[in-house]
Amino acid sequence: MIETLSENPDFIKAAKKDIAERDLVTRLFALRCVKGVSQEELARQLGCTQGRISKLESTTDRKLRLGDVAEYASALDMELRIVIAPKSATMADEVRYHWACVRRSLDSMVDLAREDNTIAAGIARFFGEAAANFLNAIFAAAQKLKPRRPKNSRQIAVEVLGVEEAESPCSAPGDAATA
Amino acid sequence: MYTIASEDEHIKSQRWYEKKRQRELRALLVNLDKFFAALEAGAKPANIQGGFIHREPQGVIAISQQGGGKNLQETRLYLYVCEETQTVHLIVIGDKREQTRDLKLCKKVVDRIRSELSTTTATAGLAVQPEQEDTTEQQNSSHEKEEIPERQPDDRDAVGES
């Protein structure tokens, strides 16, 4: 967002730092707004003053207390989950982590389905929908990949683009199988 | 997904604040980011409430510098959320002294946005009407900005300016 508002790299850097320091606070604020809960209502539920909620929402992440975050989330009918990840984790690692979580949840659902045929039928339906949604999301992301032009050579670029189109990950599944 | 659109006055005032009152501007942008994050998370504009958010007439929202630290000048970023087009229109940034003038500008901009929107929807054959209170204003004000005196950003620090 900041890049669209300023052309000054130093200012952009400083503003981004300010925003990054409040990532969790911003999420908490957004969560409360999505739930349509006012600061006063939340304060009443937590047994504190509205001023305390306001202060919590305007501080930086480093100054937040874990207990306060847990209470805030709980008052919004949410729970706090913490992920500790290596700093060196790549985006691909992140996808792998989430995929592992998904697999665990799928296994738990299978265990649950063993107890009741009706539940099993419902879960089977859900699996079908989830599979379709996963594939759609991956194909949609692949569609957004732009083929890159090699530097310094327009002629080579044309040839390479032609090859890439034939082997594009955006091709339909049937095409990919034949490529 | 919401997008941001800057009015000319906003671009001008943002440049001035970037040069002269960077701390205030950074505080405003932190709060704008919070507001935008709530919108993106699916919150209705009316439900986005916090100490830094002030409701002004005609659906204009003023975001203040609150929470940005001590000794900051009272500053407001005026915006209008057009839910139909999913656009956050940033109108202008100003301080307390300029509030009346800024709000007049906001009114004109919102009138223009609504007028454009009703024209677009009418062309598309949709029955969306602008708000009742604005219909007479639209007839009189149209798009001209001449009635509002030009801002003179470099004079903002001048003492005694009314």
Side-chain angles (χ1 to χ4, degrees), chain A residues 5-6 8 18 32 57, chain B residues 14 18 26 33-34 49:
Chain A
L5 300 176
S6 173
N8 176 348
D18 289 342
R32 178 176 65 75
E57 289 179 356
Chain B
Q14 158 114 4
E18 239 178 78
R26 280 165 57 180
D33 179 67
K34 283 183 191 167
Q49 294 173 2

Side-chain angles (χ1 to χ4, degrees), chain A residues 1-2 4-8 10-11 14-15 18-19 22 25-26 29-40 50 54 57-59, chain B residues 4 6 10 14-15 18 22 25-27 29-30 32-38 41-44 47-53 66-67 90:
Chain A
M1 180 185 73
I2 300 299
T4 62
L5 300 176
S6 173
E7 293 166 351
N8 176 348
D10 292 334
F11 178 77
D18 289 342
I19 288 171
R22 292 161 176 85
V25 167
T26 299
F29 171 78
L31 197 61
R32 178 176 65 75
C33 296
V34 169
K35 295 268 179 179
V37 177
S38 69
Q39 286 184 339
E40 289 83 2
Q50 176 266 332
S54 179
E57 289 179 356
S58 58
T59 190
Chain B
I4 288 180
S6 287
H10 171 259
Q14 158 114 4
R15 280 187 190 142
E18 239 178 78
Q22 209 173 96
L25 180 60
R26 280 165 57 180
L29 291 179
V30 163
L32 174 65
D33 179 67
K34 283 183 191 167
F35 183 86
F36 200 71
K44 291 178 184 160
N47 285 341
I48 304 178
Q49 294 173 2
F52 62 88
I53 295 170
Q66 197 194 44
L90 305 182

